[in-house]
Amino acid sequence: MKCRVCREKAVIDIRRHNAAFCREHFIHHCRQQVVRAMEKFDMIAREERVLVAVSGGKDSLMLWDVLLDLGYAADGLYIGLGIGEYSDASHEKAAEFAARREAHLVVVDLETSYGFGIPGGARSVRRAACSACGLSKRYVMNDAAITGGYDVLATGHNLDDEAAVLFGNVLHWNMDALVRQRPVLPASRGFVRKVKPLIRLGERETAAYSVLNGIDYIVEECPMVEGNTGLRYKAALNELETAAPGTKNQLYFGFVERALPHFEQLGAAGGAAVGECGRCGAPTTGDVCAFCRMRETAAPSAPRGAEGSEPELDPTP
Ligand code: AMP
Ligand code: FES
Ligand code: ZN
Ligand code: ZN
């Protein structure tokens, strides 16, 4: 197996590209895939301040690494979810990476700032852990980006993630989610722009990039993952990909290029009016946002905002 570029011995082959690469050219290839995605979808302008959401895993640390190498002003954001040792170990990986790259890591701990962690929060509102976790992460990421004055929030979702989520959204014809499943979600009132620069890279490639660059990441899965349907969709797509390399790419980019424009028209026509949450001021279609509802049930007497934010007036009449 020889490198497509220099004909030296290859360290990895990528079947959907029908190509193999040596270490140096693989790293270059990964960077180019990120650049191509960012250019094609107008993700981040040169002078913008980026907040990269980092979980301590291979994808988000790789993304931070590439953005720093490309010269972007990119800080990291780690959210402590209160999932015992798993959270402690993930935090450590993110902090070690930040120290090694001499980059700035913003840390928001759910328990310290909002009075609850994911296990307790999920139990209190009888949601699956992953759903309570997704809700909390979206809320904290947006809040941290707005509060910190960042222009854009970047996450480490890769092609495998996006294809699996799309597969699930199509199986259930989840129209709201389909309209929002874009490589770039533009800023709107109260919401920062959100981008996914790794959509052209598969999980195997982000893992290989991290290993080849000496990025120490958390390998363990989250212990609360039990019953997560996303993993089943990933397994099904992996089987299809093995039989026909390029299937995930075709599914996801076919959707983005051919179907999404139609879904966006539907989204623009409908959609409930967005107002402000009566507790935290975040945009919501109800009176109180879903995150505040969970926080009030999980930690009724806890602080009402991230540390350092303005104390809110007592909302009781
Ligand atoms: P997941 O929702 O676990 O599939 O992760 C998707 C993306 O969300 C990751 O690539 C990160 O960019 C971000 N993310 C996940 N967990 C955290 C966390 N604890 N803190 C900050 N960002 C996170
Ligand atoms: Fe969110 Fe496991 S990381 S529930
Ligand atoms: Zn080479
Ligand atoms: Zn709220």
Side-chain angles (χ1 to χ4, degrees), residues 3 5-8 22 25:
C3 171
V5 184
C6 68
R7 314 304 301 164
E8 290 292 315
C22 69
H25 290 120

Side-chain angles (χ1 to χ4, degrees), residues 124-178:
S124 75
V125 291
R126 298 200 181 92
R127 271 180 181 243
C130 290
S131 134
C133 179
L135 166 67
S136 305
K137 283 191 292 204
R138 281 194 298 278
Y139 181 91
V140 174
M141 283 178 197
N142 191 61
D143 185 64
I146 300 260
T147 311
Y150 292 92
D151 299 296
V152 51
L153 176 89
T155 54
H157 294 95
N158 59 38
L159 177 61
D160 293 62
D161 298 326
E162 292 304 288
V165 171
L166 174 59
F167 193 33
N169 285 338
V170 168
L171 281 179
H172 299 102
W173 289 114
N174 187 346
M175 299 302 275
D176 290 343
L178 283 168

Side-chain angles (χ1 to χ4, degrees), residues 13-86:
D13 73 316
I14 307 175
R15 285 181 64 205
R16 73 174 184 289
H17 292 313
N18 204 7
F21 296 100
C22 69
R23 178 182 183 278
E24 182 196 338
H25 290 120
F26 173 67
I27 290 169
H28 178 75
H29 163 83
C30 291
R31 251 185 231 136
Q32 281 312 106
Q33 295 300 314
V34 174
V35 170
R36 273 181 71 183
M38 294 206 298
E39 284 178 351
K40 166 126 181 117
F41 297 103
D42 271 336
M43 290 190 181
I44 311 175
R46 267 282 148 207
E47 68 287 356
E48 287 186 321
R49 285 185 71 219
V50 192
L51 186 63
V52 187
V54 289
S55 61
K58 60 191 186 321
D59 306 300
S60 47
L61 289 181
M62 163 189 182
L63 173 59
W64 198 7
D65 195 60
V66 171
L67 291 178
L68 290 170
D69 283 347
L70 292 171
Y72 286 92
D75 291 348
L77 165 69
Y78 173 76
I79 304 167
L81 300 165
I83 310 179
E85 277 176 21
Y86 172 76

